[in-house]
Amino acid sequence: MGGDVWMKSSNLVLMTVAIVAVGIIAMPSTISLFAGQHTWYAINGSNELPCRKCHADVFAELEQSAFHKWNGYNWTENPEGSPDNTACYGCHRANASITYANVGDSVTDVTPGTKAHAASTVACMLCHQFNASDAVNPLNDYSMPGFAAGGFAQPANSPYNYTNGTCPGGHAAHQGFIQSAINDTKMEDANEACIACHTHIPVKINWTHRYSLEFSCVPELELPPTHFDVKDWTLNGTYNITVFGWRNGTGNTSEEGWPGGYP
């Protein structure tokens, strides 16, 4: 009986030693797994969140841009305090009608966001409209007005100034393109149209063209009849054609050779 008690006590001691040994070995790994998980970026003063950490692909694309690579009035490639976020802030914290969350010189000097928190989606025309200097955030050192697009009549349902007294537009071939993009809610304002023409995003268009023009030519009454009165203009039928424009600027009307088996 005493031997059984001794054996059980010995087993208990061995199990205790084993548990402690496992804890000694495992605990450092467990602690190291969670170490640093609850540290925070200091964003007061000149410190900023690293937008590039999550948006590295966008940053890499901006690196190829002649105009949007580094935004800001000084046009330097390494502005003090924010070498990575200049272009990010220049567009996505630019809207003067929005109060973005911000931290001042101390962590207690906090401004909460109202219409947006850290950033907002942006319409190209925010910075490329007439009087854009009144629309971009004057408190953001990196925001600046761009070149005015101009040449369009003011489209419906857009809050941005596509025209002014000098550039009223009205004859733009792409006016309908702009208006259609504004009416579509997938992106802000006319961004679909801006991206289709001004970026390397591929574009596929299903065109419906008029097949032919028809008109009548009636001789004038003067003799000899060297002039004709042209009238009765009509459009005969339609035909459809699909074109695909690839990112390198080339395009074709055949599905053969479309990159990546598109569509």
Side-chain angles (χ1 to χ4, degrees):
M1 184 70 178
D4 291 340
V5 173
W6 183 85
M7 287 293 295
K8 290 180 179 180
S9 300
S10 298
N11 290 339
L12 181 60
V13 171
L14 288 174
M15 290 178 63
T16 303
V17 172
I19 292 171
V20 171
V22 170
I24 292 174
I25 296 173
M27 283 299 292
S29 299
T30 305
I31 293 172
S32 65
L33 174 65
F34 292 98
Q37 294 297 305
H38 288 86
T39 60
W40 306 88
Y41 292 113
I43 57 174
N44 60 301
S46 61
N47 297 315
E48 298 174 351
L49 290 173
C51 304
R52 183 179 176 183
K53 182 178 77 169
C54 293
H55 299 288
D57 57 331
V58 179
F59 179 83
E61 185 175 359
L62 284 174
E63 284 285 86
Q64 308 304 314
S65 171
F67 291 98
H68 297 128
K69 180 177 180 180
W70 298 102
N71 208 339
Y73 287 105
N74 55 7
W75 292 101
T76 57
E77 293 201 358
N78 290 287
E80 183 179 354
S82 181
D84 291 352
N85 291 348
T86 310
C88 305
Y89 279 35
C91 281
H92 294 285
R93 289 173 66 92
N95 196 326
S97 68
I98 294 176
T99 298
Y100 301 94
N102 193 42
V103 179
D105 293 332
S106 68
V107 293
T108 59
D109 181 14
V110 177
T111 301
T114 55
K115 294 181 181 179
H117 177 59
S120 63
T121 52
V122 62
C124 300
M125 287 300 291
L126 173 69
C127 294
H128 291 282
Q129 64 181 314
F130 291 101
N131 302 323
S133 58
D134 298 330
V136 298
N137 191 346
L139 300 179
N140 186 342
D141 293 336
Y142 306 132
S143 298
M144 64 176 297
F147 302 107
F152 295 100
Q154 182 63 34
N157 305 318
S158 176
Y160 305 104
N161 297 318
Y162 280 76
T163 184
N164 66 5
T166 304
C167 302
H171 293 281
H174 297 117
Q175 187 74 40
F177 192 37
I178 293 293
Q179 185 65 67
S180 176
I182 293 172
N183 294 342
D184 192 286
T185 58
K186 292 183 179 65
M187 293 184 178
E188 295 290 317
D189 196 59
N191 281 13
E192 296 93 338
C194 302
I195 288 171
C197 287
H198 291 282
T199 75
H200 291 172
I201 295 295
V203 172
K204 177 186 177 183
I205 306 176
N206 297 307
W207 293 95
T208 299
H209 291 286
R210 288 293 183 180
Y211 188 80
S212 66
L213 291 173
E214 181 177 339
F215 50 88
S216 300
C217 292
V218 180
E220 292 184 353
L221 296 178
E222 297 180 5
L223 296 176
T226 57
H227 300 283
F228 293 86
D229 180 15
V230 181
K231 59 183 180 180
D232 300 329
W233 290 87
T234 58
L235 303 173
N236 286 332
T238 60
Y239 71 97
N240 300 319
I241 186 171
T242 298
V243 299
F244 179 83
W246 188 222
R247 67 187 305 273
N248 60 6
T250 61
N252 57 54
T253 59
S254 170
E255 294 186 12
E256 297 178 3
W258 283 5
Y262 192 95

